[in-house]
Amino acid sequence: MGSVIDIDVPVPTRRPQIAVTLGDPSGVGPELIAKLLSNPENCKRADIFLLADQCELDAATRDAGNVEVLVSTAPAGPHAAQLLDDNSSSNYTSERAKESRDSGARCMHQLKRALELVEQGKIDAIVFGPLNKSSLKMAGMKEEDELRWFAKQLSFMGTTSEINIAGPLWTARVTSHIGIEDVAARITTGNTVKAIELLNKLRWESGLAAPRLGVCALNPHNGENGAFGRQEIEAIRPAVKIAREELGIDVQGPYPCDTIFLKREHFDGIVTMYHDQGQIAMKLLGFDGGVTIQGGLPIPVATPAHGTAFDIAGKNLAAITSMQNAFDIATTMAERIILRESSKQPGGDNVVEFSSAKTKLLPTTTVVNIPSCC
């Protein structure tokens, strides 16, 4: 049985409000955002707030082939985004296609402005152009990645995971940006349950009523009954059982990581144990069009899965696909969250309440048989 798309929910009580930033000014982000804002369908879906100076937008528009951007200083609406110009770009000197402290600092300045709007309750989601990790580090970002930086800025202590998306398939990770030598100790039942629960929640927010999840093994051949390690026996398998029987999540595994992606049509999401276990597969499946979600934060935060592409910056060669996908996913997730929250208000009909706790797994769940490879 395939996944169920939840189409029987009401229209959101209000339009999602999306903050958009240009990303690294030295890369392709600004021209991609200009193209995004030239599409009238995007303004029809959400109130968009662009955090940039007018001069930055003008340069981005030229780099994008002189597209007509639908942006003004008037309040955001179905006909145009609102430009939130704080006249600060002169404080940063960036050079095209070059890593620099100023480029990283400019990114963080605008993202902090977006997070301030979040804390004021004015924004439902953030979409940002590609960032450059080296520039961010030069500018003082001490966290291991942007996700941890976002969480720190929001003082958020809950479960987070970078979510990678290629077409209909989403992946989450139990561990992320750490050395391979440190991975095994982090593969615990609790950490694995948290990753499963988070991916299930995010797939619901993305529009699925009944997400189907698979879980990777850590060791070769699924651990070969303990011959190659006991994480599958002592941590991963118990986590899958808890998620199924106590949380009511349609999840199966663990499966060998070298074959699970060959059966990807059976899953809406796959929980991997470490960074490259999923990333290599996802990039082979579809690098163009990929999206990264900073999963678990209080609001959806999305960006293209590709980088700043310095080699083609300013040449109007960057494809809009991933940027558009990031906007579409963030907007859909924001709509679902608005529906969920509105149903909890007095007089709400609770038709979109998300809760998998203490429910029994649907008997229609298809058990997937994935053999180990040699």
Side-chain angles (χ1 to χ4, degrees), residues 23-26 92-94 98-112 131-141 149 310:
D24 192 298
S26 300
Y92 307 89
T93 302
S94 299
K98 186 176 181 180
E99 300 165 349
S100 71
R101 177 191 176 280
D102 276 8
S103 289
R106 185 61 176 162
C107 293
M108 288 194 285
H109 170 76
Q110 298 292 28
L111 288 173
K112 285 179 179 178
L131 307 179
N132 183 279
K133 284 182 170 56
S134 295
S135 294
L136 294 172
K137 295 295 183 183
M138 290 179 190
M141 182 181 285
W149 182 84
F310 284 164

Side-chain angles (χ1 to χ4, degrees), residues 229-250:
R230 297 192 58 82
Q231 285 82 10
E232 288 76 19
I233 296 171
E234 297 176 357
I236 305 173
R237 196 171 299 154
V240 171
K241 183 177 180 181
I242 290 170
R244 284 178 64 87
E245 297 181 1
E246 298 183 24
L247 302 179
I249 296 173
D250 184 353

Side-chain angles (χ1 to χ4, degrees), residues 147-148 159-166 168-177 187 191-203 212-217 236 251 257 260-261 267-282 291-296:
L147 175 56
R148 271 62 185 184
T159 301
T160 58
S161 174
E162 184 176 291
I163 306 296
N164 297 107
I165 303 169
L169 185 65
W170 293 37
T171 61
R173 310 171 191 153
V174 177
T175 69
S176 190
H177 294 110
I187 306 302
N191 288 344
T192 307
V193 169
K194 288 178 181 178
I196 294 169
E197 192 170 17
L198 175 60
L199 185 56
N200 186 63
K201 173 179 176 289
L202 294 175
R203 285 311 267 130
R212 307 161 302 158
L213 307 183
V215 178
C216 282
I236 305 173
V251 59
C257 64
I260 186 172
F261 285 91
F267 304 113
D268 303 303
I270 294 176
V271 175
T272 63
M273 295 298 115
Y274 58 92
H275 185 279
D276 286 358
Q277 191 180 54
Q279 281 289 77
I280 294 172
M282 294 296 276
V291 174
T292 298
I293 297 288
Q294 311 296 326

